[in-house]
Structure formats: C-alpha cells, structure tokens
Amino acid sequence: MQPSYNKRLDKLRERIKKAEIDTLLVSDARNIFYLSGSNGGYTGAKVMLIVDANTSTLIIDKRYLAETMESAVVDTITAWTEPSYGDIVALLKGSGVKKVGFESTHVTVKQYERLVKEFDAIQLVGVAGLIEPVREVKDRHEITKITDAAAIGDTTFDYITGILRPGMTEIEISIEIDFFMRKHGAERPSFDTIVASGIHSAVPHATPSSKKIEVGDFVTLDFGAVVDGYHSDMTRTVVIGRASGKQKDIYAKVLEAQIAALDAVVPGKVCRDLDAVARDIIAEAGYGENFVHSLGHGVGLDVHEAPTLAKGNEAMLAEAMVVTVEPGIYINGFGGVRIEDLVVVTRSGREVLTLSTKDLLEL
C-alpha cells in the first residue's frame, strides 16, 4: 500500500488556510518526505517544497534531480539554478501571492536572513506546527512500516540475548545490535543504540562505553530500526547471571507499572493521565524520585515526536497514533530498569507492536 500524498496535502491546505497565508515553504526533510515521498533532504541536499492552495512544487539540488523525479509525488519538480532563494521568488512572481509562511522551527537565523533579503516584496510569516500535528495520526502505510521496523527490533533482541556474555563491552554489544539490524532490513538505527550495564544502567540515556559486562549486572538495551523512513523503539533490561532479590523487586515494579499503563491506552485518554497510571504505581512503591522521565512519546518519521506522554501534557490520544510506553526506575550506585513497548492506539484500545518477552531474563 502506498501513502496518499494528496490526502496529506489536502489536510495541510486546510491548515494553511486557517493560518491565513497564501503559500507554505516546507524545509524540514521529514515533512517534505511525508508530503511528497522525496527523501532528498536526508541526503544533505538543499531542498524546498512549496505548497499553495492548488499546487505543490519541489526544488532540489540538481545532483539529486533524477532520483527525485522517480520517487517524489508532486505537481512540479525543478532544480535550483543558483545558491539562493531567488528561484522561489521567481516561481511566485506574478502569482498574486502576498503572504508566504515558512517553518520557523526548522529555519536557521542565517536562512531567515537570506529569505528576508530575497522576499523583499512578499510578506514572510513564521509558522510552526502546521504539519507535525497531521503526522501524529498514522495511515495504514505508516503503521505497516513501523510494524516492520518493530519486528526487526524483536529479531535483534532474540539475537543479542543469545550472545550476551560477561566480558563483552557495552560498545561491542551496541555494534552487534546495529550490524544485525542493518543486515536484517534496517536502513539505519533509529538513534544511537543504548547499552548500559551495572551502575551505568542508572543513566536513562547512557552512551555505550568500554565497560565490560559483569556477572550480576543489569543490562539495559534500548534500540530501534528504520524502515522506509519510519522508526521503531524498544527497551528491555536483563540480568547477567542470577538476579538478586532487589533486582527482582525493582524489575517487577517497573513491569507492573508498564502493563498497567498499556492497559490504560485508549482513544481519548489524556496523556498526563496515562503518565500518572505508571508514575503512581512506582511512587507508591517508594521509587517516585527514581522515575526521572516521561512515560513515553510518539514515534514515526521521527523517533521522538508528538504526542508526549508526560505529566504536563493535556493532549488526548487518538486512534492510529503510535506511542511508546516506557516507565523506569533508576538508582544511582545500583542500576536501573526500563521496559519499553511500541503501541498503536486502536479504535477500542491498543495493539502492542513489540513482541519480545518481558519476563526477567537471567542470562
């Protein structure tokens, strides 16, 4: 199944009209890919998508023109003639455009200064959040790609737990994860793979180090794959050797909180309330100060996107959103546990895409 770029553009045009602008300049690579199918921006090429009430035009570095002609679904594709925004002004001249919006959160100060210089006769308006909210609700094509990416994650977890042994370094394990994912269909990892062992596992976003895995260590594995631009994200925590009583207790409490939060996922659920489901369980166990991040986040073309399942977020979940559910407990000088699943919000509840076991593995 191919995405319907026309439907996506129609939704954007409704938002452009409400923003009271004539035309939108789309410069963010992921937004361009979402609206046109062109991945030119990911290559580092200079690319811009121009969307108005009736047409869509893609301007790209001429070195990527042939590839873009094959993949992009837009009305017009053209190449830059000079390293400036003069090409855009030339396209808009005589069209009656008076107010042009640009993605204020994706434009540097330098780019803004160049835009102002070129658009001296046209009013420029910085706009934010026109496209990203549309991306929050996924279509069937997107959910299929995210599901495929999640499946690579599950296969990778099976592989890595089969080779984990004392003496391996965190860096070595992260390399094994990344290589296995690439070998089995991933374009690239979703993010810098996290492998954190022993007391290092008390750092939620630890960077893999030369530390060697030891018997008795918690080992947290947080990784994801990218398939056709779409990300997955999963976390599992295992123990090397026999788990201690304290390790079992902490793991059981995180798992209880995670399952309770999963069971509470439903369309219309307020994000802060979902966060509270897991947070209250962990707090009641005496570890409230040790749950130091939000419950989860949206996943799609970005591995971290809206909605955020956080204490202060009053947004509501909607059918076809894809989010993570990942509570954790982190104790300095001891270690930490995080369990993360990728979830699709369905009409009546949720579908969990991460299928790897959540039993405490003692390897």
Side-chain angles (χ1 to χ4, degrees):
M1 172 178 291
Q2 294 299 314
S4 175
Y5 296 109
N6 286 335
K7 287 184 179 179
R8 295 176 182 180
L9 285 169
D10 286 343
K11 290 179 181 178
L12 175 59
R13 286 180 174 121
E14 292 176 5
R15 298 174 70 85
I16 288 174
K17 185 176 181 180
K18 290 180 180 178
E20 297 182 341
I21 56 177
D22 302 313
T23 299
L24 178 65
L25 306 181
V26 184
S27 55
D28 177 69
R30 288 169 178 79
N31 286 340
I32 291 173
F33 179 76
Y34 178 76
L35 294 168
S36 72
S38 170
N39 63 359
Y42 292 127
T43 66
K46 181 183 175 185
V47 60
M48 184 79 73
L49 178 65
I50 306 172
V51 180
D52 62 24
N54 301 303
T55 62
S56 57
T57 301
L58 193 67
I59 310 179
I60 193 162
D61 187 318
K62 64 180 65 177
R63 293 173 297 175
Y64 302 94
L65 185 59
E67 177 185 354
T68 302
M69 295 279 286
E70 293 179 357
S71 62
V73 181
V74 292
D75 296 313
T76 305
I77 301 173
T78 186
W80 298 100
T81 59
E82 55 182 287
S84 73
Y85 293 112
D87 289 319
I88 301 174
V89 176
L91 284 170
L92 298 179
K93 187 178 292 186
S95 64
V97 170
K98 297 179 179 179
K99 189 181 294 186
V100 174
F102 66 92
E103 294 185 288
S104 57
T105 54
H106 301 295
V107 171
T108 66
V109 172
K110 184 176 181 180
Q111 289 170 328
Y112 174 72
E113 290 173 345
R114 289 172 56 192
L115 279 168
V116 171
K117 182 179 179 181
E118 297 285 355
F119 282 71
D120 58 345
I122 300 175
Q123 182 181 356
L124 278 170
V125 179
V127 294
L130 286 189
I131 302 170
E132 286 81 1
V134 178
R135 283 173 41 189
E136 289 183 37
V137 175
K138 273 58 179 179
D139 58 30
R140 289 179 61 188
H141 169 82
E142 294 177 293
I143 291 173
T144 296
K145 296 303 179 184
I146 295 170
T147 302
D148 292 344
I152 292 175
D154 284 328
T155 303
T156 302
F157 181 71
D158 287 343
Y159 165 74
I160 205 66
T161 52
I163 67 168
L164 265 180
R165 63 184 185 274
M168 296 179 73
T169 67
E170 294 172 350
I171 292 175
E172 183 181 355
I173 296 165
S174 69
I175 291 171
E176 288 280 353
I177 290 172
D178 291 352
F179 180 74
F180 187 90
M181 288 193 296
R182 291 292 300 270
K183 190 176 179 179
H184 289 80
E187 296 169 17
R188 61 186 183 278
S190 291
F191 49 90
D192 291 340
T193 294
I194 296 171
V195 178
S197 63
I199 61 174
H200 203 195
S201 62
V203 181
H205 287 168
T207 300
S209 71
S210 58
K211 178 190 176 304
K212 292 184 178 180
I213 305 299
E214 300 176 29
V215 173
D217 278 354
F218 269 139
V219 181
T220 296
L221 308 164
D222 186 350
F223 56 92
V226 178
V227 173
D228 291 342
Y230 287 89
H231 296 68
S232 67
D233 191 0
M234 67 173 288
T235 305
R236 292 293 186 267
T237 303
V238 302
V239 174
I240 304 301
R242 292 285 186 177
S244 68
K246 185 174 181 178
Q247 285 176 322
K248 290 180 179 179
D249 289 345
I250 292 172
Y251 191 93
K253 191 54 59 177
V254 173
L255 182 57
E256 178 187 350
Q258 205 253 358
I259 291 174
L262 285 174
D263 289 342
V265 172
V266 65
K269 189 74 173 183
V270 177
C271 290
R272 68 178 182 190
D273 293 342
L274 186 59
D275 177 275
V277 170
R279 197 168 301 279
D280 289 349
I281 291 172
I282 290 174
E284 288 170 7
Y287 294 109
E289 294 183 356
N290 303 101
F291 183 9
V292 296
H293 53 71
S294 63
L295 177 65
H297 54 86
V299 177
L301 289 174
D302 286 297
V303 72
H304 289 90
E305 58 183 46
T308 302
L309 310 183
K311 288 188 286 187
N313 190 4
E314 298 182 3
M316 291 190 297
L317 294 181
E319 182 181 354
M321 286 182 173
V322 179
V323 297
T324 66
V325 176
E326 49 177 310
I329 293 175
Y330 310 91
I331 302 173
N332 290 333
F334 178 78
V337 173
R338 182 167 64 257
I339 303 170
E340 176 185 21
D341 286 335
L342 194 56
V343 178
V344 181
V345 183
T346 63
R347 182 171 300 177
S348 58
R350 82 291 186 275
E351 177 186 358
V352 179
L353 301 183
T354 312
L355 304 181
S356 296
T357 182
K358 288 185 283 192
D359 294 338
L360 177 55
L361 299 183
E362 298 172 299
L363 304 177

